[in-house]
Amino acid sequence: MNIGEVAERSGLPAKTIRYYEDIGLVRPQRSRNGYRAFRESDLHKLAFLGRARALGFTIEDCRTLLSLYEDESRESAQVKTLAEEHLAEIDAKISQLQSMRALLSRLVASCCGDDRPDCPILDDLAGEIH
Amino acid sequence: MNIGEVAERSGLPAKTIRYYEDIGLVRPQRSRNGYRAFRESDLHKLAFLGRARALGFTIEDCRTLLSLYEDESRESAQVKTLAEEHLAEIDAKISQLQSMRALLSRLVASCCGDDRPDCPILDDLAGEIH
DNA sequence: CCTTGAGCTTCCAGTGACTGGAAGCTCTAT
DNA sequence: ATAGAGCTTCCAGTCACTGGAAGCTCAAGG
């Protein structure tokens, strides 16, 4: 398989696949013309990576997950721990965004948004207490 | 004021303040010794930037907000529109994170996390339907 | 007066995970 | 023979900082 087909079937851009090779996540063989020659197992790995990235795992987490996946003697606790840590990070991000959202939506609601310059949003950013 | 005091009073790291000068968000004067000499108005601007960044506005949004703040003839609608767009982006991020969270927490719950290799998390990443 | 240490300066490089673009080779169809 | 798509490598840019090196300035203590 050439990179175009792998890109299509894995859902990853060809650029990303080349990048993953650069950083050692996949090691496709090469045809005599210099083109990357992907096997089904490479495609499988790339699809795995795509799904792990879609769950928000970092590239380094993905590397760990791949090696656990390929390690017959892994303990599922290792995977679960990694996933739980990631879950905690997601939760932290969500609550940070939610507090941003709460303040910002209050500010937006308090601004009448017309042609006059008075704006509680700017007042708040400027540190004026109201 | 030297940069250290401004850093302390604005809550921004000195490195960040220098960076903000680099990209033209503040223009402190200089003392004869070459040190940056901040006025109260610079400090005020930096605190404004800190609060805008804490609400998740991009640097370019901050630049726009600052110029609106300094523009006596602004229309509050301009500010409100910017804030509403940003609010929509925050909402999009939150819901993306929440769907990640939903799937990931289901996977975590289904993995017993012991010393055996069987792991529904890895199975899911590998694309195995269960 | 000298030294020490904190604080300031600039400049360069790195972060994460790609993404865009240029220059050039290969393949397929006409 | 040629056109166009697809492939190659390499370099630079994104965003918003952050770390570190090398060197200058200032205030206090001996």
Side-chain angles (χ1 to χ4, degrees), chain A residues 12-21 46:
Chain A
L12 295 171
K15 275 272 185 190
T16 298
I17 296 171
R18 291 195 193 98
Y19 172 69
Y20 286 175
E21 184 188 13
L46 287 165

Side-chain angles (χ1 to χ4, degrees), chain A residues 44-112:
Chain A
H44 189 73
K45 257 193 193 183
L46 287 165
F48 183 104
L49 289 168
R51 276 183 290 263
R53 290 288 298 129
L55 281 177
F57 285 104
T58 65
I59 288 285
E60 283 320 300
D61 282 350
C62 289
R63 200 188 294 279
T64 305
L65 287 168
L66 256 188
S67 77
L68 286 170
Y69 179 60
E70 288 168 349
D71 175 7
E72 303 281 309
S73 73
R74 69 178 167 258
E75 301 176 6
S76 64
Q78 298 174 272
V79 184
K80 186 168 183 169
T81 300
L82 189 58
E84 279 168 341
E85 284 166 5
H86 181 46
L87 193 54
E89 276 159 27
I90 289 176
D91 283 342
K93 265 188 208 151
I94 289 175
S95 60
Q96 196 205 349
L97 285 170
Q98 278 171 339
S99 45
M100 273 183 196
R101 207 219 107 89
L103 175 51
L104 189 59
S105 70
R106 246 190 301 125
L107 291 175
V108 163
S110 70
C111 174
C112 58

Side-chain angles (χ1 to χ4, degrees), chain A residues 2-13:
Chain A
N2 284 349
I3 200 166
E5 188 181 342
V6 178
E8 174 131 2
R9 289 178 60 191
S10 68
L12 295 171

Side-chain angles (χ1 to χ4, degrees), chain B residues 50-112:
Chain B
R51 277 184 289 264
R53 290 287 300 130
L55 282 177
F57 285 103
T58 65
I59 288 286
E60 285 319 301
D61 281 350
C62 290
R63 199 187 295 279
T64 305
L65 287 168
L66 256 189
S67 75
L68 286 170
Y69 179 59
E70 289 169 347
D71 176 7
E72 302 281 308
S73 72
R74 70 180 165 256
E75 301 175 6
S76 64
Q78 297 175 274
V79 183
K80 187 167 183 171
T81 300
L82 189 58
E84 279 169 341
E85 284 166 5
H86 181 45
L87 193 54
E89 276 160 27
I90 290 177
D91 283 342
K93 265 189 207 150
I94 289 175
S95 62
Q96 197 205 349
L97 285 171
Q98 278 172 339
S99 46
M100 273 185 194
R101 206 219 109 90
L103 175 51
L104 189 58
S105 71
R106 247 191 300 124
L107 290 176
V108 164
S110 70
C111 174
C112 57

